[in-house]
Amino acid sequence: MSLKIDFTLEEGTVDKITAYSELLKQTPSQLLDEALNDYFIKLNKQLLEKSATEENSQTNLDFDEFWGDVDF
């Protein structure tokens, strides 16, 4: 499904999109779609890592400190 969205880009950004689309023989839409997909994958990874860090930050003890006084 395709959706048309109006937005504004700086002139330099438009020039780069045009140049790279010609160089890579892609339409500007294809180039932007690929770039945004890569960006969203990277952003999602960062958010997952941040979430994991926050979940693991409930203790500041390392393994030995945490289990040090426990008898097995």
Side-chain angles (χ1 to χ4, degrees), residues 40 42-54:
F40 292 140
K42 179 182 172 185
L43 184 61
N44 191 45
K45 182 180 175 185
Q46 289 174 348
L47 291 172
L48 288 173
E49 288 174 355
K50 181 181 178 194
S51 177
T53 300
E54 288 174 356

Side-chain angles (χ1 to χ4, degrees), residues 13-59:
T13 301
V14 173
D15 292 341
K16 290 175 187 175
I17 292 169
T18 303
Y20 279 112
S21 68
E22 290 173 7
L23 180 68
L24 299 172
K25 296 184 182 3
Q26 295 180 333
T27 66
S29 293
Q30 290 171 318
L31 186 73
L32 289 172
D33 190 49
E34 185 178 321
L36 286 171
N37 282 328
D38 290 345
Y39 173 76
F40 292 140
I41 288 169
K42 179 182 172 185
L43 184 61
N44 191 45
K45 182 180 175 185
Q46 289 174 348
L47 291 172
L48 288 173
E49 288 174 355
K50 181 181 178 194
S51 177
T53 300
E54 288 174 356
E55 287 177 13
N56 293 332
S57 68
Q58 293 183 16
T59 181

Side-chain angles (χ1 to χ4, degrees), residues 66-72:
F66 185 82
W67 293 106
D69 294 328
V70 177
D71 293 329
F72 293 99

